Amino acid sequence: MHPDPEHPDALRHEIAALVARYQDAAFPRASFEPGVTPVPVSGKVFDASEMQHLVDASLDFWLTTGRFADEFETRFAPIMGAGRALLCNSGSSANLLALSALTSPQLGERALRPGDEVITCASGFPTTVNPIYQLGLVPVFVDVDPGTLDADLDLLAQAVGPRTRAVMMAHTLGNPFDLDVVTDLCKRHGMWLIEDTCDAVGAMWRGRPAGSFGALGTVSFYPAHHVTMGEGGCVLVNEPKLERIVESFRDWGRDCWCAPGMENTCGRRFGWHLGELPFGYDHKYVYSHLGYNLKLTDMQAAVGVAQLAKLDGFVAARRRSWARLHDGLCDVQELALTHATPGSDPSWFGFAMSVRPDAGFDRYDLVTYLESRRIATRLVFGGNLLRQPAYLGRPHRAVGTMVNADAVAERSFWIGCYPGLTDEMLDYVIETIRSFVRAPVHAPRRDARAS
Ligand SMILES: Cc1ncc(COP(=O)(O)O)c(C=O)c1O
């Protein structure tokens, strides 16, 4: 500590100590009261160190992306088996950036062009699919495998047509899709692969991290996710050529790659001759892509740095909780539980199940009952995206009857297995589900269909 108590370093130290005391006082551990204390599906798990990092970054008053973002990117890339990790402001932005990168003219013949097709799964989160439309590409929807909630890979080969150039799919709820099958198909047909790893940080495929197999992977740091920054995301770049392209799309489309506050990183800031601009036009203001500004702030990254220290423990806790729920529910005949894709070690985002058609009750009944007992539930995102209002009437191809995506929309849901849940909570969840199944209660329905 600095000997002068008024020195900024000494004050920072004092503030950090006070923040730890504040965190202790403001976020005490609550005891669990079954039926009264909520059992959420997800949430931030943090202690004083996240708050101290956040305040430390605020005291820098750098505000834009900075030293904490650098540290996070440097430490996160090897964890994910990626060449480079590029932070951005959300997982949705990461998906937009990853697919935008593949449209770059700098890729020449390999670039995606309007009208090219991208294979994706009919069942999933909307912003895995939205960039396909936003970039003038056409999705090819593949039906879902109801056992893993990933795309049905038996249908994947049928999805490839003359204009199919990429596959962009999520490892649903932390359960990797079969990366042998998908990478092999992509290789055979010269297709790009983007792995949406937003829900699957820590998931492994034959001992290698999910997210490291495609040319690009994406991650979300929204509070529900394995590691949080509040809002935040990351593009994992596994093919070197794409690094600068992703960075350019993220940072206004610029050709220059100086970090904020830096200049002349390239050593020839006034020495380029690009496009039809005059020679020496300031490289800082040369644009090689129709870009965005999707950077995140250093305060967000600082929280992420603190979370990284906990990542292994978080993933282990998710696996333990998932196994406890599985052990407690696997003999319930009325429910079909999601299983790990053979060859994978998932990093579970949630514990998913489907109510069997002959159960004697339906999902609505069970979900209503659980929610009334303070156990939060979530559906498998958009269910069958093709039936969502936003997608009706849009151009696409569909492979398979979508009977499984419809079933997911009709009968599947998930509950939490995140590190904030205790064994006591998980046992309460198991017992509540089992007691419902023994004596199902039919929930009244009110149809509020808009005209
Ligand atoms: C599979 C998947 N992709 C993308 C996203 C979007 O991430 P974000 O909420 O950070 O935009 C989510 C959100 O949870 C997701 O589940």
Side-chain angles (χ1 to χ4, degrees), residues 2-315:
H2 200 279
D4 173 4
E6 293 308 309
H7 188 277
D9 290 351
L11 291 170
R12 233 182 234 258
H13 199 267
E14 199 178 327
I15 290 167
L18 195 57
V19 166
R21 276 176 51 205
Y22 173 82
Q23 199 274 338
D24 239 14
F27 300 93
R29 274 192 179 279
S31 59
F32 176 61
E33 215 183 313
V36 177
T37 313
V39 182
V41 283
S42 61
K44 304 179 283 284
V45 178
F46 67 101
D47 58 27
S49 87
E50 278 78 359
M51 280 198 153
Q52 287 169 322
H53 272 72
L54 178 62
V55 172
D56 204 17
S58 309
L59 294 174
D60 286 353
F61 212 65
W62 184 251
L63 302 182
T64 180
T65 194
R67 67 178 173 113
F68 286 105
D70 286 347
E71 182 179 346
F72 188 92
E73 288 180 348
T74 305
R75 285 172 52 190
F76 194 57
I79 291 172
M80 297 303 289
R84 179 96 193 268
L86 287 159
L87 282 169
C88 60
N89 62 0
S90 74
S92 303
S93 297
N95 281 341
L96 178 61
L97 285 171
L99 194 60
S100 297
L102 299 186
T103 67
S104 169
Q106 293 177 4
L107 296 173
E109 283 303 300
R110 299 172 72 207
L112 302 182
R113 293 189 175 73
D116 282 348
E117 293 177 340
V118 182
I119 295 173
T120 192
C121 184
S123 187
F125 198 78
T127 55
T128 311
V129 174
N130 294 353
I132 302 174
Y133 282 121
Q134 286 153 345
L135 293 164
L137 304 162
V138 178
V140 182
F141 289 104
V142 170
D143 202 359
V144 67
D145 172 348
T148 62
L149 296 176
D150 288 320
D152 181 344
L153 297 188
D154 291 338
L155 297 171
L156 208 63
Q158 294 172 41
V160 182
R163 289 209 64 180
T164 316
R165 309 280 314 282
V167 175
M168 181 166 179
M169 302 192 296
H171 299 298
T172 308
L173 294 174
N175 190 19
F177 51 76
D178 187 322
L179 280 151
D180 291 348
V181 172
V182 176
T183 53
D184 178 61
L185 188 84
C186 286
K187 233 178 252 148
R188 275 191 289 121
H189 294 277
M191 296 190 297
W192 295 98
L193 171 61
I194 298 176
E195 296 174 73
D196 180 333
T197 317
C198 285
D199 299 344
V201 168
M204 306 298 270
W205 177 259
R206 303 199 192 286
R208 184 174 145 191
S212 68
F213 290 81
L216 297 147
T218 60
V219 179
S220 165
F221 301 118
Y222 194 72
H225 294 253
H226 295 63
V227 169
T228 188
M229 299 181 181
E231 300 286 356
C234 186
V235 183
L236 305 170
V237 187
N238 304 313
E239 186 171 314
K241 169 105 186 149
L242 296 169
E243 278 182 38
R244 286 262 312 279
I245 298 175
V246 171
E247 213 166 19
S248 171
F249 272 104
R250 184 191 63 182
D251 302 353
W252 306 281
R254 67 187 182 158
D255 200 70
C256 159
W257 58 92
C258 284
M262 300 292 290
E263 50 192 44
N264 210 19
T265 308
C266 62
R268 45 187 291 211
R269 179 174 164 197
F270 297 103
W272 293 89
H273 198 180
L274 294 166
E276 297 182 359
L277 293 164
F279 172 79
Y281 200 86
D282 187 349
H283 195 217
K284 264 187 177 307
Y285 292 100
V286 175
Y287 302 98
S288 41
H289 297 102
L290 299 180
Y292 309 94
N293 176 3
L294 301 174
K295 297 194 300 301
L296 90 173
T297 71
D298 222 31
M299 284 79 75
Q300 291 162 282
V303 174
V305 168
Q307 288 263 289
L308 267 193
K310 303 182 170 81
L311 176 59
D312 288 348
F314 283 168
V315 172

